Structures are given as structure tokens and as C-alpha cells.
Amino acid sequence: MVSKVFLVILIVNLVTDCSYGQRDKKFFRKDYKYIDSVQGFYKIHTLHKTWFEAKRVCALEGASLFYPENDDEAQAVISYWNDTQPFSWVYVGISDLLVKGVFETINGNPVSDVYNYWAAGEPNDAGGVEDCVILKRDGTYNDFSCDRKTPFICKKSLLSLEWNQACNIPNLDYIYNEEVGRCYKFHLTPMSWTDAYSVCSAEQSYLTVINTQSEADYLVKLTELKTRNQAPGDYLSGAVHIGFHNRLNDGWQAVRGTTLDDTGYVCWGQNQPDGEGREQCGSMFYNGLLNDVSCDTRCFFICEHEVDTLETLYDDRFGDR
Ligand SMILES: *[C@@H]1O[C@H](CO)[C@@H](O)[C@H](O)[C@H]1NC(C)=O
């Protein structure tokens, strides 16, 4: 009886906790800094990217390419940047890519509706190739070639924060599997193994590592469910990228630091591995058996997220189940 009442309270807590509870905690991701005065999370990316890559990276992290909404936000973010990083400019989420001469934010608002201070003589579309916008430390904009690589800032507003309670991440696409105790996302955009690896990483997860037969069974079911309505194409090699490789030529390794042999699941498909060194990345046939594949082959892929802090909470709360 006591445990039933407890369970009801727990469920009510979990439901009401979903977004507001998380917003109260003011936590988005470890790699983002919360700035209270402007109610936003920010990450300054020091790896230089083109404007398009920068926009994509922010989206993969569940955020968006930063631009200042107003003077306060510009001052707050530039002052954080002044305190922590040396470089002179960053890409912001403003361009005239849609129609030349019409500068808009990445969500389609005119730049005149947000923070809008250009350096003297800018924008000038020098050489006819400057369609993306950088923000300089002095708080002014300049138009810039989108293909040049520069640092950039991603932003998540506190108000837009949504929380996947079961998986303990700000990404609602991940599905918690109770039996395995982990969360998974099946990606339906085919990618090379290395691109898939970086997508999982940006989502705070990793290409899935199979540890047990029941996990393999679950992933087979998930794959079946997700690929059921996919038109067959030449990228459909009948396998999905997962987390093992021999890219360093020192034998098959799982991601996350173990050898493939130590994962607990080493069930190769018939005659696999058959790449003789040309196929250095790991995939899973749709039937669950392992396959070596060229790292450039574009496949669907599965990211896995380990439910860290919540895992112990679940154990405690449901201990007498
Ligand atoms: C940041 O540094 C630049 C250059 O050193 C300076 O002009 C600017 O006023 C500073 N801005 C803030 C908000 O600290």
C-alpha cells in the first residue's frame, strides 16, 4: 500500500517535472554556460567551421546558431566571450542567403527586428560573395563569405528547454528501453560511419555498443520498425552503423574503450568480417549479426545514451518492483 501511494506521487512528480522542473534547475548541457541576466545557455565553439556547418552543429546539439536579440544579450554574451576566448569574431545566425541584400535571422526575421549594429561601411558584399554575418568583439556586424571557417556560438533559450525525463537529456527523440536500461535514437538520414559518429557525439551519446543478446534483439526490432516504410535505395546496405571499428589497425575495438571481444556480444554474420582491411568500420545487419563495412558507406545508424544520474534514482525508486 505504502509503495503504491509512493508510486502515484512519483508519477505525478515525473509528469509535472517534465519541462518546468528542468527549467528551474537551469541546466541544459554540461558544455553550455547559463547566463541568468538573459535566461539563455551558450556555448562558444572554438573549432572553426563554415557558416553552414556551424548552423548544423548547433542544431545537432539541440540549440541554434546564436544571434543577439537585443543590446542586453549582445553585451552579456560578448562579455562572457571577452572573459573566456581570444578570437576576434564569431559567426552569428544571420545571412542574406535567401535573397541577396535582405539580411534575416535563421528563423526568418528581419535583422532590423533584433540587435542590428553594423561596422562602418558594412554590409558591403565585397567581391559579391559575402552572404553570412559575423559579430565582432566591439559589438558590430560585418558581412562575410559563408565558406570561411570561423568560431561560432550556439544558444538555447531557457524558455525553449524541453527535457526527456526517462533518458535525462534535452532530446525528446531518444527512447528509453526498460529491459536494457538505456536510450536509443534510430537515425534515418544515411551517413558515413564517421559522420554518424560525430552526430551521436553532438547529441551527447555514442554509436550503439551491443552488450547482450536481448539488446541485439531490441535493436533488430527497432530497425525493423524504423525501416519498414523506407523505399529501398542503394544506400540501404541492409545494415546500420553501430559502435565498433578497426580504424587504427589494432584489432576490432568498440567505441567507449573496450575491445569488441569484451563487449559481450560478438556474433558476426556469415563469413564476416570479409573486408580484409578495406572495411574498417562496424555495422549490424538488419538481423542483428555484425558486419564490417567501408567507413564511407552511407547507412542508417543508431545512437545510444547511457542514463547516468537517473539510473540510480530509478533503481532506488522502483527497488521493490
Ligand atoms: C569586449 O572586448 C572588446 C575588445 O577588447 C571591447 O571593445 C568591448 O567593449 C568588450 N565588450 C564587453 C561587453 O565586455
Side-chain angles (χ1 to χ4, degrees):
M1 198 55 194
V2 169
S3 74
K4 258 187 202 154
V5 171
F6 181 61
L7 205 65
V8 169
I9 292 170
L10 179 67
I11 287 165
V12 169
N13 271 336
L14 283 177
V15 169
T16 54
D17 215 27
C18 274
S19 36
Y20 292 105
Q22 188 58 36
R23 282 176 207 161
D24 287 346
K25 289 179 199 145
K26 312 228 155 104
F27 178 83
F28 172 48
R29 300 168 44 124
K30 273 189 284 200
D31 48 349
Y32 278 67
K33 154 96 176 162
Y34 182 67
I35 302 180
D36 195 38
S37 63
V38 288
Q39 308 239 307
F41 304 91
Y42 302 86
K43 174 174 173 179
I44 304 179
H45 279 263
T46 56
L47 284 177
H48 297 208
K49 304 273 185 201
T50 68
W51 188 85
F52 302 97
E53 288 167 345
K55 183 165 172 270
R56 183 166 170 273
V57 165
C58 293
L60 287 171
E61 292 182 349
S64 54
L65 187 56
F66 166 71
Y67 62 86
E69 293 282 352
N70 49 43
D71 285 22
D72 287 349
E73 193 179 19
Q75 293 313 306
V77 174
I78 293 173
S79 126
Y80 170 49
W81 160 18
N82 276 358
D83 289 346
T84 55
Q85 297 294 344
F87 37 71
S88 311
W89 60 71
V90 293
Y91 270 133
V92 287
I94 298 170
S95 77
D96 71 346
L97 283 162
L98 189 60
V99 174
K100 209 170 199 39
V102 183
F103 285 92
E104 294 179 334
T105 68
I106 47 172
N107 33 7
N109 296 320
V111 69
S112 54
D113 283 3
V114 297
Y115 180 84
N116 187 23
Y117 294 96
W118 294 85
E122 303 294 346
N124 64 356
D125 197 23
V129 296
E130 297 194 328
D131 294 324
C132 291
V133 176
I134 54 166
L135 173 68
K136 295 186 292 180
R137 258 184 201 286
D138 65 3
T140 61
Y141 290 146
N142 190 359
D143 58 345
F144 207 71
S145 165
C146 307
D147 296 330
R148 286 182 62 181
K149 297 192 171 193
T150 87
F152 57 101
I153 299 176
C154 301
K155 171 192 172 180
K156 178 79 176 174
S157 72
L158 179 62
L159 200 62
S160 69
L161 181 61
E162 290 185 290
W163 203 253
N164 182 331
Q165 201 69 34
C167 298
N168 205 25
I169 40 170
N171 188 328
L172 302 181
D173 295 339
Y174 276 76
I175 301 168
Y176 179 66
N177 179 276
E178 198 161 344
E179 199 175 334
V180 185
R182 300 206 183 107
C183 291
Y184 301 89
K185 176 175 175 184
F186 194 99
H187 280 268
L188 278 168
T189 303
M191 287 188 197
S192 70
W193 190 90
T194 45
D195 284 349
Y197 189 97
S198 58
V199 165
C200 294
S201 167
E203 290 181 354
Q204 307 182 95
S205 63
Y206 48 90
L207 280 169
T208 185
V209 176
I210 308 177
N211 298 110
T212 59
Q213 185 63 51
S214 70
E215 187 173 13
D217 294 344
Y218 170 70
L219 295 177
V220 167
K221 265 192 281 172
L222 183 66
T223 303
E224 195 184 295
L225 185 75
K226 295 291 184 176
T227 58
R228 191 179 289 159
N229 298 319
Q230 293 301 309
D234 47 4
Y235 55 81
L236 287 180
S237 54
V240 295
H241 287 311
I242 63 169
F244 71 97
H245 66 87
N246 184 16
R247 283 173 62 77
L248 308 175
N249 289 312
D250 55 354
W252 290 102
Q253 309 290 323
V255 301
R256 318 283 283 181
T258 62
T259 65
L260 180 62
D261 283 338
D262 286 340
T263 57
Y265 182 86
V266 195
C267 304
W268 290 97
Q270 202 176 10
N271 301 326
Q272 303 297 339
D274 65 355
E276 288 160 5
R278 286 169 293 106
E279 301 186 338
Q280 294 191 305
C281 283
S283 64
M284 181 194 82
F285 285 123
Y286 286 5
N287 66 6
L289 298 178
L290 303 183
N291 177 36
D292 59 338
V293 67
S294 157
C295 298
D296 297 330
T297 305
R298 292 166 66 235
C299 290
F300 299 146
F301 57 100
I302 304 173
C303 302
E304 171 180 319
H305 178 81
E306 195 131 14
V307 188
D308 34 33
T309 56
L310 203 69
E311 199 165 57
T312 50
L313 278 179
Y314 261 90
D315 286 350
D316 291 343
R317 290 170 172 187
F318 292 113
D320 61 345
R321 187 170 37 173

